[in-house]
Amino acid sequence: MTRSFLNALVIGALVAPLPLLAQQSGQSDEWSEWEEWEEPAAASNFSLNGFVELAGGLRLATDPALDDNTTLADARVQLRGDYKLSSSVVTFRGDLYYDGVVDNVEADLRELHWQSNLGFMGDWGNHLDLKIGQQVLTWGTGDYLFLNDLFAKDYQSFFAGRDDEYLKAPSLSAKLSAFTQWGNLDLVLTPRFTPDNAITGEYFSFFSPQAGQNIAPGFVVADENRPTSPEWALRWYKTAGSTELAAYGYRGYQKTPVAADEQGRPRYSRLNVYGVSAVRPLGKGLANAEYAYYDSSEDSNGNNPMVPNSQHRWLLGYEQEIVANLTGSAQWYLEQIRHHSALLAHSPWPEYEQSQRRQVVTVRLTYLMLRQTLTLSGFNFYSPGDEDGYLKFRVSYSPGDDWQLNAGFNLFYGQQAHTFYAQFEDASNLYASFRYYY
């Protein structure tokens, strides 16, 4: 109920007796012409909003594998809409934009789904929610580090400096959620495998062990090497005291084409993932821990260098407010490759293979200024074994609800050209964007 309607009720209550008093005193009956208060318009079941955005970015150094120093050149319009039905909602979110890096107009349907509680199926249905359609999905405890989150990501957008919302790519899926006294359960079915938007050479080059240097072929995976089978993802979670516990499962494929066929062409290999996590308060902050086992079922013994080996993945993290308006967090991450000696023995390029244990340490600092209208955020990945890293810095200024200005840089560094972060050293870039909301 709006404030203006409440004011109307109060005034109405005060003036309602006045016509009767006027008639009793012989005064004019002009109060009889008092119009009835107009009922407020019912809230619309449909909402519509969005934004327009201009964004640009430039490479900090020339990449010999690419001719263009532009890393970001977007002119974008996003439209968002929600339509509420009696017991469900239909959501739409889509982008239409011109991508100046590849000189093409792109359409990105990020959300088009129907979501409802299933109470119409009976009492047991009240404990079930269903979401069907194009949607962005995520879970897990990591900050920019994903262990049990096997939903699609867009790393080209991430490296170019687009907003973080574009790191999570959409998929056409069905998600069923159950809420019980024994815990909550999410089951996600993606009928057709949805891979990451990985680094393939259109925007940024990558290291090739065959060539011994960075290349930018702008390749696509052949249709016969793209799985058509469904993906399944499962999460069970429950709060025990002040700790939130979760268990995960995934059956699908590697999200990037890191396997190869007999002709050496990239493909997606089979992958099963099993994991657990926990989040709880610790001291003045919040601590998290997560584990995942990556079961590479096509290469259980590690003898096939064209298929990734199975891995154990571990994560520990902690976040707290350091002082007023300054928040800090840190993470320790470990990848441990199984059958590493077999991998080296059979690899045609053992000198470029990842070490058996690869560690990454991350630090994030976020500072709010000018009555929280200005945000400074820095995030650094560093691998002590590889001696390489990736620093992201972003400044966001939004003095009101109508517009936002962003700027920042992505800086990759390292000692050896083939390590994970150092291979993207020539991708380091500056970017800026302006967004207007309507």
Side-chain angles (χ1 to χ4, degrees), residues 329-349:
S329 65
Q331 297 177 119
W332 171 80
Y333 169 73
L334 172 67
E335 289 180 0
Q336 181 178 353
I337 299 177
R338 295 197 63 204
H339 309 294
H340 191 259
S341 57
L343 171 64
L344 296 181
H346 293 85
S347 173
W349 310 284

Side-chain angles (χ1 to χ4, degrees), residues 274-350:
Y274 316 97
V276 293
S277 72
V279 180
R280 64 163 294 134
L282 180 63
K284 297 180 180 180
L286 197 64
N288 63 284
E290 191 168 348
Y291 166 78
Y293 176 64
Y294 280 52
D295 177 18
S296 183
S297 57
E298 294 183 20
D299 187 23
S300 58
N301 297 318
N303 296 324
N304 185 355
M306 298 302 154
V307 176
N309 284 35
S310 298
Q311 291 184 349
H312 299 281
R313 298 190 178 188
W314 309 82
L315 176 70
L316 294 175
Y318 184 73
E319 177 183 12
Q320 78 166 63
E321 186 176 44
I322 302 172
V323 295
N325 295 321
L326 176 63
T327 302
S329 65
Q331 297 177 119
W332 171 80
Y333 169 73
L334 172 67
E335 289 180 0
Q336 181 178 353
I337 299 177
R338 295 197 63 204
H339 309 294
H340 191 259
S341 57
L343 171 64
L344 296 181
H346 293 85
S347 173
W349 310 284

Side-chain angles (χ1 to χ4, degrees), residues 13-32:
L14 292 173
V15 303
L18 294 181
L20 179 59
L21 293 174
Q23 292 176 9
Q24 290 176 347
S25 61
Q27 297 177 7
S28 170
D29 62 353
E30 59 180 344
W31 285 103
S32 63

Side-chain angles (χ1 to χ4, degrees), residues 359-375:
Q359 299 182 63
V360 176
V361 177
T362 76
V363 175
R364 179 194 284 274
L365 291 173
T366 303
Y367 186 49
L368 303 178
M369 303 173 61
L370 303 180
R371 298 183 180 179
Q372 302 188 346
T373 61
L374 179 65
T375 302

Side-chain angles (χ1 to χ4, degrees), residues 161-226:
R162 290 190 179 114
D163 192 87
D164 277 358
E165 69 175 287
Y166 294 104
L167 172 59
K168 307 294 179 67
S171 61
L172 184 61
S173 304
K175 178 184 178 183
L176 179 66
S177 300
F179 309 98
T180 74
Q181 60 181 337
W182 302 286
N184 304 316
L185 187 69
D186 291 327
L187 175 64
V188 177
L189 167 64
T190 303
R192 189 179 182 90
F193 169 70
T194 304
D196 289 344
N197 187 19
I199 307 301
T200 56
E202 294 96 341
Y203 301 83
F204 307 107
S205 64
F206 58 91
F207 184 81
S208 165
Q210 296 96 321
Q213 62 183 7
N214 271 37
I215 61 174
F219 74 89
V220 294
V221 179
D223 290 342
E224 58 268 28
N225 285 343
R226 298 178 65 91

Side-chain angles (χ1 to χ4, degrees), residues 207 209 212 344 347-355 416 418-419:
F207 184 81
L344 296 181
S347 173
W349 310 284
E351 67 273 24
Y352 297 137
E353 296 292 350
Q354 181 181 309
S355 59
Q416 303 180 71
H418 70 276
T419 57

